[in-house]
Amino acid sequence: MKKIEAIIRERDFERVKSALKGIGIVPLTAYPVQGRGVQGGVPPYDLLPKMKIELVVRDDDVEKVIDAIMVARSGNPGDGKIFVLPVEEAVRVRTGERGDEALY
């Protein structure tokens, strides 16, 4: 299992959410954040509004999830970043299911 964290422009969130749903990945957590990348923000703003998306997926789904998030790509600075981290365990609280069975 992997945790995928993506930081994208707010305006791209609905397209990314739809792209993820289109590949069968519905569960996610998203919240507004502020940040800056290498470009350092856009004067007079030091930090820019972004959306952060977090989801845990099966190892086999990582590449298709990355591809779905890439619909946010415009080729311009500020498109965002995607991070992939290992996850040791997942447990669905309602049923007690563990591992991949607890994900979707």
Side-chain angles (χ1 to χ4, degrees), residues 44-63:
Y45 305 103
D46 184 40
L47 299 175
L48 300 172
K50 302 285 184 174
M51 286 295 289
K52 184 170 185 180
I53 302 168
E54 297 179 355
L55 53 162
V56 177
V57 300
R58 297 179 183 114
D59 290 343
D60 293 344
D61 291 334
V62 170
E63 287 305 316

Side-chain angles (χ1 to χ4, degrees), residues 14 21 36 46 51 86 98:
E14 290 300 323
K21 187 175 180 180
R36 65 176 180 213
D46 184 40
M51 286 295 289
R98 293 180 169 260

Side-chain angles (χ1 to χ4, degrees), residues 83-95:
F83 304 98
V84 180
L85 302 94
V87 172
E88 291 186 28
E89 181 66 281
V91 179
R92 186 184 315 262
V93 174
R94 178 176 50 88
T95 64

Side-chain angles (χ1 to χ4, degrees), residues 10-92:
E10 288 180 319
R11 69 175 187 226
D12 295 323
F13 176 65
E14 290 300 323
R15 285 188 315 138
V16 169
K17 189 170 69 167
S18 290
L20 289 167
K21 187 175 180 180
I23 61 168
I25 305 294
V26 177
L28 61 81
T29 301
Y31 47 94
V33 296
Q34 291 185 338
R36 65 176 180 213
V38 176
Q39 77 275 13
V42 177
Y45 305 103
D46 184 40
L47 299 175
L48 300 172
K50 302 285 184 174
M51 286 295 289
K52 184 170 185 180
I53 302 168
E54 297 179 355
L55 53 162
V56 177
V57 300
R58 297 179 183 114
D59 290 343
D60 293 344
D61 291 334
V62 170
E63 287 305 316
K64 70 180 186 179
V65 168
I66 290 172
D67 290 343
I69 295 169
M70 291 296 286
V71 302
R73 183 180 187 182
S74 72
N76 297 312
D79 280 346
K81 294 271 190 318
I82 300 171
F83 304 98
V84 180
L85 302 94
V87 172
E88 291 186 28
E89 181 66 281
V91 179
R92 186 184 315 262

